[in-house]
Amino acid sequence: MAAEVSPGEYKDVVLFLATAGIVVPLFRRWNISPILGFLGAGIVLGPFGLGALSDQFPWLSAVTVENPQDISQLAEFGVVFLLFMIGLELSWERLRLMRLYVFGMGGLQVALSGAGIAGAAMLFGQPPIAAAAIGAALALSSTAVVMPLLAERKRQHSQAGRATFAVLLFQDLAVAPILITLAVLGRQNASGDDSAFVLKDLLAFAPAVVGLLALFVIGRVLLRPMLRSVAKAKSEELFMAASLLVVIGAGLLAALTGLSMALGAFVAGLLLAETEYRHEVERTIEPFKGLLLGLFFVSIGIGLDLSKLIADPLPILGMAFGLMALTGSVVFGLARLFGLKTRPALEAALLLAAGGEFAFVILDSAMNAGVVGETAGQTILVASTLSMICIPFLATFGAKLGGRPGADPGSVAVEPDNERADSGVLVIGYGRVGRLVSDMLGRHDIPWVGIDRDPRLVESGRRSGARIFYGDASRAEFLKHCGLDTARALIITMDSPEGAEAVVATARELRPELTIVARARDARHAKRLYDLGATDAVPETIEASLQLSEAALVDIGIPMGLVIASIHERRDEFRKELNRPESLGGRRRMRDAR
């Protein structure tokens, strides 16, 4: 017998889904970041918004979130999935190239900002340990808000974007040591005996080190074989389950050893970035990341206690603006010190000026350990939330200061991802035809990226040094991840007529001006490909006939020049016949008119 369903248990989930359905399209139509919409929705739907009026108006309880704790637990996965995606965008080589900015600029930013905030907290009467905890919490900016904003504005690869990412990466790496240190300080504070905990303090970091080593070893040994086995099953649902297992499993393993779940997911992303499955995993995880990040921003808004702000606005507003001024000044000075020009340095400073999501994690841990008082901690969290709400506005202003993307190459040099098809060619299908086409592209020094759904072909291509990825090229998001937006051409060598048609239709929809050359089974298939938008379709039967004719004519003594000329003439006749305007749809004629 089916269990009885209580609709009230699902009310918060329905409210969030309805919010996402309203906020995202509406704010995108207004050209405003949906982040602001989610934050605002959280404030309105939370217990300090409409929930505060539910006693006077009971019907409001139907449109307010009643269990913020349940939402906040699930919302933490938004940051976990974001860090995993960031790891996928990197590689160990790129991380090595960024080490000066990650550990140099990032380390100095956390140290200087934390010291400055801790000093200000001590001036306002906080004890040294509490001040240090507050400084560590507020020195960390918001990866969850800043990185999507950079991606929306296509500035993640600008000078300011790279420097911002480097600092955010160090901040994320610093979370685990900060949390472990707070736990140690909490035990010392409870016992009052500092000398007894020296050895335990050192041993407290051992599980974190073991956890990182376990992640690396398990990832190196198991990740690629597991995904290869799943890919051979050719089940999209199974691949999705495996991708989610990698993200959540890595996060949980990190959490068990005292690290943050986000850091564990980041390491898993880094390990997967070296494999041929990175783009398919990226496409699979993207929707989950978007929804969970939206839920994260809603939970941030829910936690904004408007009663504290209304009761005592000046100190809280002063804290928020003081935090942004101090952190922004530190970032600007360091950015100039590390070689950024003035405008990119200002943009990075504005992006990193506000507080971040890890302030909630760190201050909550500090309050639970008795290091920071409950009243002071909650007030600081309200100020940090207000600063986070300002980030989209700061980012917009910073983008105007920084100028158009790509205008300033700057000195923060990071090698581009050489496994994307920037100014190159995408080759769909890596069988016998695809390998020959790729070889010819290589002979003419044209960069290319291969795509295939057969894991065995992908694996053999990788072993021979080919740049090839596993995935379904008929999916728009996957093609974008592989570099379709910047590709010079798309060559389809698949032996599946239906698969080739799906890829042509998707690619033409995304890039109306792109050169698309497709392999066709016969003349009828070629006509369908032309109708879908292929620039050129090459029927196997016609080409085989022309090559047989060429060989026979030369062998019986016809001069080579005459044979080649007649073959080219006949090929052009076939092409005109297949590509007659009357045989094509209106979409093709419209593209030709453009």
Side-chain angles (χ1 to χ4, degrees):
M1 184 174 181
E4 185 178 348
V5 175
S6 174
E9 296 176 359
Y10 300 94
K11 188 189 71 173
D12 291 350
V13 175
V14 173
L15 271 177
F16 167 68
L17 294 175
T19 300
I22 295 170
V23 164
V24 174
L26 194 62
F27 275 64
R28 289 201 185 280
R29 182 178 300 175
W30 292 340
N31 202 24
I32 301 174
S33 172
I35 292 170
L36 283 177
F38 283 120
L39 287 169
I43 294 171
V44 172
L45 300 177
F48 305 112
L50 293 178
L53 304 174
S54 59
D55 291 337
Q56 292 81 15
F57 306 97
W59 60 271
L60 286 176
S61 62
V63 290
T64 56
V65 175
E66 294 181 348
N67 299 305
Q69 297 82 7
D70 295 343
I71 282 186
S72 63
Q73 288 178 358
L74 184 60
E76 291 178 11
F77 282 102
V79 182
V80 172
F81 276 72
L82 175 66
L83 265 291
F84 177 77
M85 296 292 279
I86 290 172
L88 276 179
E89 288 292 328
L90 281 176
S91 64
W92 293 111
E93 180 62 18
R94 295 181 73 200
L95 189 59
R96 184 187 65 81
L97 291 169
M98 293 174 66
R99 65 188 182 279
L100 176 63
Y101 299 96
V102 173
F103 299 102
M105 185 175 169
L108 285 172
Q109 183 275 323
V110 171
L112 294 177
S113 296
I117 295 167
M122 290 178 68
L123 288 176
F124 283 94
Q126 290 293 323
I129 294 178
I134 294 168
L138 298 184
L140 308 183
S141 308
S142 178
T143 303
V145 181
V146 172
M147 288 306 297
L149 286 172
L150 282 174
E152 281 178 16
R153 290 166 172 79
K154 298 185 186 322
R155 298 193 62 82
Q156 64 267 44
H157 299 303
S158 66
Q159 187 185 36
R162 289 166 176 166
T164 299
F165 173 72
V167 173
L168 289 172
L169 180 53
F170 182 85
Q171 291 177 355
D172 294 335
L173 294 172
V175 171
I178 290 172
L179 290 175
I180 293 171
T181 303
L182 284 175
V184 170
L185 290 175
R187 290 200 302 270
Q188 290 182 353
N189 192 45
S191 69
D193 183 8
D194 293 345
S195 59
F197 284 89
V198 175
L199 181 59
K200 289 185 178 180
D201 292 352
L202 295 175
L203 293 176
F205 289 91
V209 175
V210 172
L212 275 177
L213 289 174
L215 278 172
F216 281 116
V217 172
I218 293 173
R220 287 288 187 188
V221 174
L222 295 181
L223 269 185
R224 180 174 266 146
M226 182 189 77
L227 289 176
R228 184 190 305 126
S229 175
V230 170
K232 287 178 180 177
K234 296 184 179 180
S235 168
E236 187 174 343
E237 294 80 7
L238 186 58
F239 196 91
M240 180 183 297
S243 300
L244 292 173
L245 174 64
V246 170
V247 181
I248 298 173
L252 291 176
L253 179 59
L256 287 173
T257 57
L259 298 166
S260 70
M261 287 186 68
L263 181 58
F266 173 76
V267 173
L270 271 179
L271 292 169
L272 270 178
E274 307 289 340
T275 73
E276 59 269 32
Y277 303 101
R278 57 176 289 194
H279 293 312
E280 183 69 8
V281 172
E282 195 173 4
R283 181 200 65 79
T284 302
I285 292 297
E286 185 73 38
F288 295 96
K289 184 207 76 172
L291 267 179
L292 290 170
L293 269 182
L295 186 60
F296 173 78
F297 297 130
V298 168
S299 72
I300 296 271
I302 288 173
L304 181 58
D305 189 346
L306 293 177
S307 62
K308 290 183 180 293
L309 182 61
I310 294 170
D312 206 6
L314 288 180
I316 293 176
L317 291 173
M319 266 187 249
F321 286 109
L323 166 65
M324 290 188 286
L326 192 153
T327 304
S329 300
V330 170
V331 172
F332 176 77
L334 288 173
R336 295 290 290 140
L337 179 65
F338 278 79
L340 272 72
K341 295 180 181 179
T342 302
R343 287 194 169 197
L346 279 171
E347 184 181 0
L350 289 169
L351 286 167
L352 295 169
E357 57 276 358
F358 287 119
F360 297 86
V361 179
I362 293 172
L363 283 177
D364 184 62
S365 176
M367 287 186 285
N368 291 335
V371 174
V372 175
E374 186 74 23
T375 302
Q378 291 298 333
T379 303
I380 293 167
L381 284 178
V382 173
S384 180
T385 304
L386 285 177
S387 72
M388 288 180 69
I389 292 174
C390 295
I391 294 175
F393 302 104
L394 296 174
T396 300
F397 184 51
K400 292 179 180 177
L401 283 178
R404 61 183 176 85
D408 180 6
S411 60
V412 184
V414 181
E415 289 295 323
D417 184 351
N418 61 7
E419 291 191 312
R420 286 193 181 268
D422 298 337
S423 301
V425 175
L426 285 177
V427 179
I428 313 300
Y430 200 69
R432 290 172 295 176
V433 178
R435 285 196 295 270
L436 286 172
V437 170
S438 303
D439 179 65
M440 292 304 298
L441 291 171
R443 288 170 186 251
H444 290 273
D445 296 323
I446 297 175
W448 60 274
V449 169
I451 298 170
D452 204 291
R453 287 215 67 181
D454 188 335
R456 290 169 295 184
L457 292 176
V458 173
E459 186 180 357
S460 64
R462 281 263 170 170
R463 281 201 300 263
S464 64
R467 295 173 295 174
I468 180 170
F469 292 98
Y470 168 84
D472 184 357
S474 66
R475 296 186 175 273
E477 288 303 316
F478 178 76
L479 283 177
K480 288 179 181 178
H481 288 311
C482 291
L484 182 74
D485 291 342
T486 55
R488 290 169 59 184
L490 182 74
I491 302 177
I492 302 168
T493 68
M494 304 165 62
D495 60 1
S496 166
E498 295 80 8
E501 291 169 21
V503 176
V504 169
T506 302
R508 182 56 70 205
E509 186 72 25
L510 296 173
R511 288 277 306 275
E513 81 292 351
L514 180 66
T515 297
I516 301 176
V517 180
R519 169 188 177 186
R521 180 66 59 84
D522 50 30
R524 182 173 296 180
H525 184 216
K527 281 188 177 183
R528 289 203 302 270
L529 293 173
Y530 277 124
D531 195 28
L532 290 168
T535 310
D536 277 308
V538 182
E540 296 175 346
T541 53
I542 292 176
E543 281 302 313
S545 301
L546 291 174
Q547 290 181 33
L548 284 169
S549 301
E550 179 183 346
L553 289 169
V554 171
D555 288 344
I556 64 176
I558 305 298
M560 175 70 76
L562 291 176
V563 172
I564 292 176
S566 64
I567 291 295
H568 280 296
E569 182 180 355
R570 191 69 183 98
R571 182 180 285 117
D572 289 340
E573 290 172 2
F574 275 124
R575 187 171 296 166
K576 289 175 183 177
E577 175 68 21
L578 295 172
N579 203 11
R580 284 203 315 266
E582 61 269 20
S583 68
L584 304 178
R587 178 179 170 186
R588 172 76 180 185
R589 289 196 295 271
M590 289 174 60
R591 195 182 78 251
D592 290 341
R594 288 197 296 267

